[in-house]
Amino acid sequence: MSNNSSNASNTSNTSVATATSTGNSATVQPEATPVAAGRPSLRWRVVDIAVASVIGVASALIFWLVSLIYSLGVGDLIGLVMPGFQGIYNGLWLFAGPLAAVIVRKPGAATYAELLGGVIESLMGNQWTGMDTFSTSLMQGAFAELAFLIVLYRVWNVPITMLSGAFAGVAVWLHDIFMRGQAFTGQYITIYLVTSVISGIVFAGIVVWYLYRAIARTGALDKFASGREVRATA
């Protein structure tokens, strides 16, 4: 009787141990799958929308201040002293898209934040029409997005962010030529392109990258892979 009980108990313990082991294996297995771990999630969450919106709104205030200063004669003065060098100012309108992209890391983040910033800037009042501001913001955001699309939203580093800023600078140049119909000719058009791209690389590329890293170190971005990545290497 005692032996039978002992055997039954051992059998029962073995079954429970096996079931537990099997259950643990089933739980751990999906997390250990290399393919799932290497595939970035491209679905937007509520927090993604919220943070991209905050970036767009905060950027709008800066865009508006930049536009105000430019309208007070800064742009004309730069153009008078060095024709075509007005482009060096353009990067100050381009940073919202790349900043949202490197933080949120979802398709459309750059376009959404840049466009939202431009629309709110226009509502606050600037020297351009609402449609003009809308079109240039859309182009800037879409071109900034292109850099991250090229690498399929898998590479996040300073060279790609600089490329995003450079593309946004090209967007400003194209918009001013074809949408605003500015009469750029010869040396002027080349200088304006080069200065716009350089400005985009500096303000919307390098500055944005290190701004994102500084914000991430505070722990404010811990809900994002971009924030946890920085904190893990700090």
Side-chain angles (χ1 to χ4, degrees), residues 37-190:
R39 185 182 300 131
S41 173
L42 302 182
R43 290 186 178 182
W44 280 68
R45 304 167 299 165
V46 173
V47 69
D48 298 327
I49 298 171
V51 169
S53 298
V54 168
I55 292 171
V57 172
S59 299
L61 177 59
I62 297 174
F63 291 167
W64 180 80
L65 290 172
V66 169
S67 298
L68 178 62
I69 295 170
Y70 192 86
S71 68
L72 293 176
V74 172
D76 293 336
L77 180 61
I78 294 174
L80 182 64
V81 176
M82 299 176 289
F85 275 79
Q86 296 98 315
I88 209 68
Y89 200 88
N90 286 337
L92 296 172
W93 282 296
L94 305 177
F95 65 88
L99 181 60
V102 297
I103 290 176
V104 176
R105 299 189 176 183
K106 301 291 169 63
T111 305
Y112 173 73
E114 191 72 37
L115 182 58
L116 180 61
V119 169
I120 295 175
E121 177 204 348
S122 179
L123 293 174
M124 293 172 70
N126 60 20
Q127 63 266 46
W128 299 287
T129 65
M131 185 54 65
D132 183 74
T133 304
F134 177 89
S135 61
T136 190
S137 299
L138 180 61
M139 284 184 66
Q140 291 162 13
F143 273 61
E145 190 90 39
L146 183 59
F148 304 104
L149 177 61
I150 289 173
V151 294
L152 302 178
Y153 300 94
R154 290 176 179 267
V155 180
W156 305 98
N157 55 30
V158 68
I160 295 299
T161 311
M162 290 168 63
L163 182 63
S164 176
F167 283 169
V170 173
V172 176
W173 179 75
L174 288 173
H175 181 272
D176 286 353
I177 293 174
F178 295 106
M179 302 297 289
R180 288 180 178 163
Q182 294 188 15
F184 295 160
T185 56
Q187 186 178 12
Y188 184 99
I189 195 171
T190 303

Side-chain angles (χ1 to χ4, degrees), residues 24-39:
N24 289 341
S25 176
T27 303
V28 173
Q29 188 63 30
E31 296 179 356
T33 303
V35 175
R39 185 182 300 131

